[in-house]
Amino acid sequence: MTIRVVLADDQALLRSAFRVLVDSEPDMEVVGEASDGAQAVAVTRDERADVVLMDIRMPGTDGLAATRMITADPALAHVRVVMLTTFEVDEYVVQSLRAGASGFLGKGAEPEELLNAIRVAAGGEALLSPAATKGLIARFLAQGDDDGPGAGRSERLDALTGREREVLVQVAAGHSNDEIAERLEVSPLTVKTHVNRAMAKLGARDRAQLVVIAYESGLVRPRVD
């Protein structure tokens, strides 16, 4: 099936470049463009998009607010948002994940990285690259939360089985289902089942949200390198 993509960025030239790149692929097409967040939400709804490439900083309704609107709309539950940022070391990275984005990508990424990001997001996976992203996310989650971890957040994990917690730790480390299966000596299908059950129990839209929950709850601690 063709992946339907919406481009949301206030720079027309950048949108044009992205459109040429995306439309050159046989498995995806650009179905709409937006120059601000409000337009992005409207176009996403009207064009039945699968993935939105969303600039974080836009005039009027910014990318974070637009992402919250999309993820809060039950009619858009299938939509995945990939945030675009000029500066990868950016506090908005974690805010975007908390808002419901499936990941983020620097605007300086290579074309293949952008195309891969669209496919990864459309497949329901978490886009937590390029290198050092997980460490960056961990630091912000550890330092940037005004409420702190809190007992309430750790109690969310009580609904998980021991194996589901184990799988969640592996997901938070950025491992794929195949890698987790090898580490835990189970089948990839079994891992997928545990991931899906954990998502359902924790109310997570995708793997990116599972990563956020794993850090916020204290199940996974930031690494200090």
Side-chain angles (χ1 to χ4, degrees), residues 85-91 93 104-109 129-131 133 136 140:
T85 176
T86 304
F87 305 102
E88 293 181 31
V89 181
D90 192 330
E91 64 180 5
V93 167
F104 73 99
L105 194 69
K107 287 186 178 180
S129 57
T133 295
L136 172 66
F140 276 116

Side-chain angles (χ1 to χ4, degrees), residues 30-31 33 46 52 69 75 84 90 93 111 157 176 188 204 223:
V30 175
V31 295
E33 297 184 21
D46 293 343
V52 182
M69 292 178 191
L84 299 175
D90 192 330
V93 167
L157 302 183
S176 67
R223 291 181 56 183

Side-chain angles (χ1 to χ4, degrees), residues 46-82:
D46 293 343
E47 299 299 333
R48 303 186 308 280
D50 299 308
V51 176
V52 182
L53 293 182
M54 182 85 75
D55 187 17
I56 290 182
R57 295 183 179 91
M58 290 185 289
T61 304
D62 65 15
L64 288 172
T67 298
R68 293 189 189 99
M69 292 178 191
I70 290 172
T71 57
D73 188 342
L76 302 178
H78 67 286
V79 178
R80 296 294 177 257
V81 178
V82 175

Side-chain angles (χ1 to χ4, degrees), residues 135-215:
L136 172 66
I137 290 173
R139 287 196 295 274
F140 276 116
L141 284 174
Q143 300 170 9
D145 189 353
D146 294 336
D147 297 328
R153 285 181 176 165
S154 60
E155 287 173 359
R156 295 176 66 184
L157 302 183
D158 290 347
L160 301 183
T161 65
R163 179 60 92 177
E164 288 165 355
R165 283 178 178 243
E166 196 172 6
V167 169
L168 179 55
V169 170
Q170 296 295 320
V171 169
H175 299 302
S176 67
N177 284 356
D178 288 343
E179 291 170 337
I180 297 173
E182 184 176 351
R183 285 168 170 264
L184 300 184
E185 298 183 342
V186 296
S187 73
L189 180 58
T190 297
V191 173
K192 182 178 181 180
T193 298
H194 287 311
V195 170
N196 289 341
R197 286 176 178 169
M199 287 171 55
K201 291 178 179 179
L202 298 175
R205 283 171 55 90
D206 54 27
R207 293 169 79 98
Q209 293 293 291
L210 284 181
V211 173
V212 172
I213 292 171
Y215 280 109

